[in-house]
Amino acid sequence: MKKSIAAKLSQLNTRLAELDRMLSAEDVAADMDNYRKYTREHAEIAPVVELYQAYQQSERDMAAANEMAADPEMHEFAQSEIREGKARLEQIEIELQKRLLPKDPNDERNIFIEIRAGTGGDESALFAGDLFRMYARYAERNKWQVEVINESPGEMGGYKEIIAKIIGQGAYSKLKFESGGHRVQRVPETETQGRIHTSACTLAVMPEVDAVSDVVLNPADLRIDTYRASGAGGQHINKTDSAVRITHLPTNIVVECQDGRSQHKNKAQAMSVLAARIKDRQMREQQAKQAATRKSLVGSGDRSERIRTYNFPQGRVTDHRINLTLYKIEQMMDGDIHELADALMAEHQAEQLAALGEEA
């Protein structure tokens, strides 16, 4: 084990002992904010320290086996213990390194997902609709809630653009690598010659932010317009100026929301999306700087990058960042994307481990 990792684990061991003392004090519940903070920290540290103690115990067992190996009668048994001990140590060390990886503070947050039709006209809008259904079904499988914030329907179906909020614990951690260009290859319903067309959509996944603490919005930087909503929604939604458009003047980011009946609700939703977009831009700028020094296969933040191809005639989905192809397009379009999401997360962790090794 590298010295820097061992030192970090030793610090956590000491800290856990301190937390045990503080949480066992008689007056610990007098300050409930501190009590909650300590219990949360204890819950995070305890499993790591437990693993570290298991590692130390394995080291002691290995040392005992090495001593035993000097006895000719016990040599073969000791060698077997040493081999098992080495394998156990390697396994625990890998798990410890994973536990020490820096946590993304946004991982547990709700998300905004934006899908925009790109090249391909009506077929691109139809594919945007298919993508939205895929993520909505994935959300359903995870028992998450989906709220449509704004939508612009395509002429033949699907969407020119759709913005939705997905509410659920860990939504960002599972879907944060979905941002980028999604390409589809298939025979459109409108194609009479049976030719395969290629269309594309762009997708952005942004964590919901606490506008108060994460993004400071100066009212002087905002232009807020209200207008009459268009499309479905009943008599009320079409007869009042309930739709809201907010322009952030310094960045020229424009957000529209017209799905709610209440102008107040639409304004609140639009402000949430605006804050998320501004925070997302800041995050992508930071990621771009990091990418200049270290190429990341996933999570580069580049929205123009083509990340995935959905080939319907061959029944395959290929993620170009990790060279993974899965021949289960029907299941995936029905929301069964956990295998792909897990593979992207594993690749990201591998990159983090490599960086941790370089630092250590």
Side-chain angles (χ1 to χ4, degrees), residues 55 84-96:
Y55 183 89
E84 289 179 14
K86 280 183 180 177
R88 191 162 53 248
L89 280 174
E90 287 174 9
Q91 188 178 356
I92 295 174
E93 185 170 358
I94 290 169
E95 185 60 32
L96 279 170

Side-chain angles (χ1 to χ4, degrees), residues 234-281:
Q235 293 179 335
H236 174 88
I237 198 168
N238 293 319
K239 289 189 175 181
T240 62
D241 291 341
S242 59
V244 175
R245 180 188 299 112
I246 303 178
T247 305
H248 186 244
L249 300 174
T251 59
N252 205 33
I253 294 174
V254 180
V255 177
E256 296 181 350
C257 185
Q258 61 174 349
D259 266 51
R261 290 191 169 201
S262 155
Q263 184 187 113
H264 177 75
K265 183 179 179 183
N266 281 335
K267 181 181 175 183
Q269 291 277 40
M271 287 290 282
S272 293
V273 175
L274 177 63
R277 282 192 185 169
I278 292 171
K279 183 69 175 179
D280 177 64
R281 177 176 288 195

Side-chain angles (χ1 to χ4, degrees), residues 177-189:
F177 301 121
E178 295 300 296
S179 295
H182 293 243
R183 185 177 68 167
V184 62
Q185 294 170 328
R186 65 183 175 187
V187 179
E189 293 176 15

Side-chain angles (χ1 to χ4, degrees), residues 224-332:
I224 302 176
D225 303 306
T226 57
Y227 58 99
R228 193 159 298 175
S230 59
Q235 293 179 335
H236 174 88
I237 198 168
N238 293 319
K239 289 189 175 181
T240 62
D241 291 341
S242 59
V244 175
R245 180 188 299 112
I246 303 178
T247 305
H248 186 244
L249 300 174
T251 59
N252 205 33
I253 294 174
V254 180
V255 177
E256 296 181 350
C257 185
Q258 61 174 349
D259 266 51
R261 290 191 169 201
S262 155
Q263 184 187 113
H264 177 75
K265 183 179 179 183
N266 281 335
K267 181 181 175 183
Q269 291 277 40
M271 287 290 282
S272 293
V273 175
L274 177 63
R277 282 192 185 169
I278 292 171
K279 183 69 175 179
D280 177 64
R281 177 176 288 195
Q282 293 169 353
M283 286 167 57
R284 283 190 286 133
E285 287 172 355
Q286 184 180 0
Q287 287 168 346
K289 289 176 184 175
Q290 291 171 347
T293 56
R294 181 178 187 84
K295 180 71 177 85
S296 176
L297 288 175
V298 291
S300 65
D302 186 356
R303 294 283 185 267
S304 63
E305 177 191 10
R306 189 190 75 200
I307 64 166
R308 194 172 299 147
T309 296
Y310 303 75
N311 186 302
F312 278 78
Q314 296 179 17
R316 63 176 170 83
V317 177
T318 300
D319 195 286
H320 305 291
R321 295 165 296 179
I322 56 176
N323 294 321
L324 175 66
T325 296
L326 299 172
Y327 288 87
K328 47 188 292 186
I329 196 165
E330 288 186 12
Q331 299 97 308
M332 294 182 73

